[in-house]
Every structure is written in C-alpha cells, then in structure tokens.
Amino acid sequence: MKRAIALYEKQTGNRIELQALPIDTVDTLISKRVAIGEITDLVMHFGGAALSDLHPERNFVDMSSEDWVADLTDEVKPRLSKDGRLYGLPLWEASTSGTLYNKRIFENLGLRVPETQEEFFSLCERLLEAGIVPVYLASKDVWPLMPQFGMDYSAERTPGLVEALNANKVNLADVPAVQEVVDWYRTMYVRGYFGSDSSNNNWDGLPAALHSGDYAMVMSWDVYLYSDLEIKYPGLAGDFGLMPLFVGGKDAKLYEGPNAAMIMVNKNGSHAKEAMQFTRFLAQPAVLNNIYRNLKTGTYFGSVTTNQPTPQYVENKEQIVRLSSPSITPFIVGYSQYEMAKWVQQAMTGTITTREALSGMDNYRKQAAIDRGIPEFQYPR
C-alpha cells in the first residue's frame, strides 16, 4: 500500500490522507460512519457477508465492468461482491496461514514436524520439558486468538454449515465440530502450551518473542515472516518453517487460504472521480508489477509476475494446496473476528463454559442479522 500510494502521488500530484482505525473496533466504526453518511472517499474492507452492513449498492461504486476485473483470480471475487456486483480492488497480500515454527529449536531438540494433533500435543510437551513455551498467543489483544482457523475445520466436518447459520437453521452451540474448536483452546491453555503469561502477551511483542527463542511456534501467516519479522530481525525469517494448524477435534489438520482486503470508492464522495482514477491507476499491470516487485506474497492478479512466494510456501506447496481452503468466516453473517475471539478467550481461561461461549457468539451473530433485516432472524424459530 505504501508503494501504491507513493506511485500514485508522484504521478498525479494528488495526495492520499490515511485514517487508521483500531483493529478491535474497525468493523463497528466503519459501519457506524456509513450509517450516518460520514464515508471517506476510499474505504478498505475485508468484504464477504459484512459488506451488507455497508449497503454497497447505495454507497459504493459498482466496479463490475472495470477492465481489471478480468485480471482477478476466481477465488477472490466472492469476497468483493454482493448480489452479483463487484465493489472493490483487492490490493492486498495473498498469504497462507498455518503454524510458524522455529526450525532451529526443532533441530536442537531433535523434534520433527507433527503429522497429527496427537503428535502436536506431544511436541508441545517436549518443548515444555525443555523450558520453551510451545505457542506464543497474543491473548491481551484478543483478536490474535484467531478462532476462524478452527471454523474452517468445523465447516469441513459439517457440510452446509455456513448456509445453515445464515438461514438461522442451526446454532454454533449445537455443532459438535465448533465445540471441539473452543475445547482445543481450553486444552492448550490448561496444559500450559500457551505459557503462563499469555494474558500479557500482545501482537506487537511477537517479533521479540520469536527472536528470543523462548517461544517455538505461533499461529500466523507466511507473509508475516517477511512483512514484520524480517524487517525487525534481518535473517530470522529463514529460521522458520510453516506447518498445518491443528485447531479443533483430534483429526484437525489444515492451512487457511488467503484473505483479501479491498479498496472501495464512495460514489457519493466529493472526490469520487479522483478515487476511481486511483483504483484504475493501481490496477494497471505495469503498476501492479511495480507494487508487488520482489515482495514475498501471492497476489490476486493474473498479470502480476514480479512477486515471490515465500520460501515456506514453496517448501510445502504440495501439502498446502491439498490441505488449504479459503476462510469461511467472512461469509458468516454477523461473524466478527474480535467479538468471537472474546468469547473463546473466556472459555479458554475457564471464566465460562464452552457452551456459554458459543451461545454468546450465537447471540452476537443473530443480533447482527436482525439489524440487517434478514427475514429468517426476525422471529424465533
């Protein structure tokens, strides 16, 4: 994004003013601003079902007929669309989420990458015995619990789960595979696999924690190693490998495919013309290739050839392709990464039960659906 904005400003003389919002309230703040008509000229959003809260047909430019749409990869288009209309340019990393692990620690202790959840738990025990915290969890910030990884597992074990949730035909609290996800966090916490101080760990402390060697693993995405860790500790990214996530029941084993943020244009804004020029400028193949040049990430554009997949992705590409699927949570009405993680955190620490946590998540989802006026949620089942 920094490259994109710099290129645009240099060529046009226009300026982009950035407004950063807190990660724990960004969805709510954007929705509220849209509701009262205080919409910036450009809005970045993760799309999916939450697009409905922004009433895109009323507020944002329909980009379906833009020339660059044909350059998009097929898997990203549903994230950018509502009711058959495409509303945003996905200028974002295309990463693979899994468990990042310190190869040097593994080698020094004679550990191998686990194949099953049972082996993963055994690995965690070995690390504890060696005085190393198995997994860094930035619990203080809440959102890094990332229960969406487990929701992908739940969807695999429960055909039609997303459709049933969005039609108010099933509750999260009644789905065994979802219960297993929350129970997994509780197991990890009780056994000490997140360490004794996870409540004070925050996301900004992750690079130092990984550099220290006090922690062996973290649930994250491959691009993080180069966008954050390598910048603070040059050469450290190469010490890490990428293995599956084991979040959920005993047979849980998966990677999560990329999530895309998109740039939308406020069609009622005072700079709508310039904002559209901005997206069209960025979408030019020559500009895209300049923006992505030598960045270690995938992209959502077929014309981009200057990027470089991370070594971790290349090393495990066959397994990643076989065990990956796009995240399902963006398509669940009312799902919020931060809000859902709050309930998981309470169950993890034993403040409430698994069922109470899932009931809280269900209530949050349903209220969001009621606020949107979805008919299936207007009256009790």
Side-chain angles (χ1 to χ4, degrees):
M1 288 303 301
K2 290 179 180 177
R3 285 188 189 179
I5 291 171
L7 285 169
Y8 172 75
E9 290 183 339
K10 182 178 180 180
Q11 176 166 315
T12 66
N14 292 331
R15 294 290 177 265
I16 302 290
E17 176 187 313
L18 297 176
Q19 296 183 12
L21 300 176
I23 193 169
D24 56 343
T25 56
V26 60
D27 292 337
T28 302
L29 286 174
I30 289 178
S31 296
K32 286 183 177 179
R33 288 186 179 186
V34 168
I36 62 177
E38 293 183 358
I39 309 174
T40 51
D41 297 305
L42 297 160
V43 174
M44 291 198 70
H45 195 266
F46 277 95
L51 259 183
S52 296
D53 292 338
L54 308 186
H55 304 287
E57 66 285 348
R58 190 165 69 219
N59 296 307
F60 297 100
V61 174
D62 178 0
M63 300 186 183
S64 305
S65 60
E66 291 294 301
D67 292 341
W68 51 261
V69 172
D71 192 29
L72 296 177
T73 56
D74 290 337
E75 73 271 12
V76 75
K77 292 179 182 178
R79 290 288 296 269
L80 318 175
S81 304
K82 180 179 183 291
D83 298 331
R85 298 176 180 176
L86 190 142
Y87 289 100
L89 177 75
L91 191 71
W92 199 249
E93 67 185 35
S95 55
T96 297
S97 294
T99 306
L100 303 178
Y101 69 96
N102 190 315
K103 290 183 174 182
R104 304 293 168 254
I105 291 177
F106 276 43
E107 290 170 2
N108 292 339
L109 296 177
L111 304 175
R112 65 180 182 85
V113 173
E115 294 292 334
T116 65
Q117 188 187 83
E118 182 179 4
E119 291 182 3
F120 174 75
F121 287 153
S122 296
L123 170 73
C124 290
E125 286 292 338
R126 290 280 307 278
L127 289 165
L128 278 182
E129 291 169 3
I132 297 171
V133 180
V135 179
Y136 185 91
L137 185 69
S139 189
K140 187 175 182 179
D141 290 333
V142 183
W143 67 266
L145 269 71
M146 294 187 272
Q148 67 265 31
F149 297 152
M151 290 300 295
D152 293 338
Y153 158 82
S154 302
E156 284 186 0
R157 272 70 183 175
T158 316
L161 177 61
V162 175
E163 294 78 8
L165 290 171
N166 290 347
N168 200 21
K169 292 181 178 179
V170 69
N171 295 317
L172 292 171
D174 300 326
V175 180
V178 180
Q179 297 168 16
E180 290 174 338
V181 170
V182 180
D183 289 341
W184 181 87
Y185 281 90
R186 177 65 176 161
T187 297
M188 292 286 292
Y189 181 85
V190 169
R191 294 185 182 181
Y193 299 160
F194 292 137
S196 60
D197 201 32
S198 63
S199 62
N200 292 317
N201 290 342
N202 61 21
W203 188 252
D204 289 343
L206 176 56
L210 295 179
H211 177 258
S212 70
D214 294 334
Y215 295 83
M217 297 178 284
V218 65
M219 296 183 293
S220 186
W221 45 96
D222 61 336
V223 173
Y224 175 86
L225 293 171
Y226 299 92
S227 64
D228 292 71
L229 186 63
E230 185 71 8
I231 291 174
K232 294 189 176 181
Y233 298 100
L236 187 57
D239 287 350
F240 284 82
L242 180 67
M243 67 185 188
L245 297 152
F246 296 94
V247 183
K250 60 183 180 61
D251 57 345
K253 182 179 180 181
L254 54 86
Y255 296 92
E256 184 180 76
N259 293 313
M262 60 177 172
I263 302 170
M264 299 188 293
V265 172
N266 174 9
K267 67 181 180 181
N268 304 310
S270 57
H271 299 99
K273 179 180 178 181
E274 292 84 358
M276 279 303 296
Q277 289 174 346
F278 176 65
T279 61
R280 288 167 178 160
F281 171 80
L282 298 183
Q284 298 174 88
V287 175
L288 285 171
N289 276 283
N290 198 345
I291 291 169
Y292 279 99
R293 190 174 306 281
N294 297 325
L295 290 182
K296 288 183 170 60
T297 178
T299 83
Y300 300 103
F301 302 94
S303 64
V304 174
T305 58
T306 55
N307 62 305
Q308 301 174 358
T310 66
Q312 289 74 15
Y313 178 87
V314 174
E315 181 181 19
N316 295 291
K317 182 177 180 179
E318 182 179 343
Q319 185 189 55
I320 289 171
V321 171
R322 178 165 46 87
L323 297 178
S324 286
S325 59
S327 177
I328 61 120
T329 53
F331 300 99
I332 298 175
V333 172
Y335 189 94
S336 162
Q337 179 175 338
Y338 181 79
E339 293 297 331
M340 300 311 173
K342 285 199 301 187
W343 291 104
V344 172
Q345 185 182 54
Q346 292 180 70
M348 177 183 77
T349 57
T351 305
I352 59 177
T353 66
T354 290
R355 188 163 190 85
E356 288 172 335
L358 293 174
S359 294
M361 294 163 73
D362 281 321
N363 291 337
Y364 186 90
R365 286 189 312 105
K366 291 181 179 182
Q367 187 57 56
I370 290 171
D371 292 343
R372 290 183 196 175
I374 297 177
E376 290 86 348
F377 291 84
Q378 298 304 305
Y379 305 100
R381 285 189 293 138

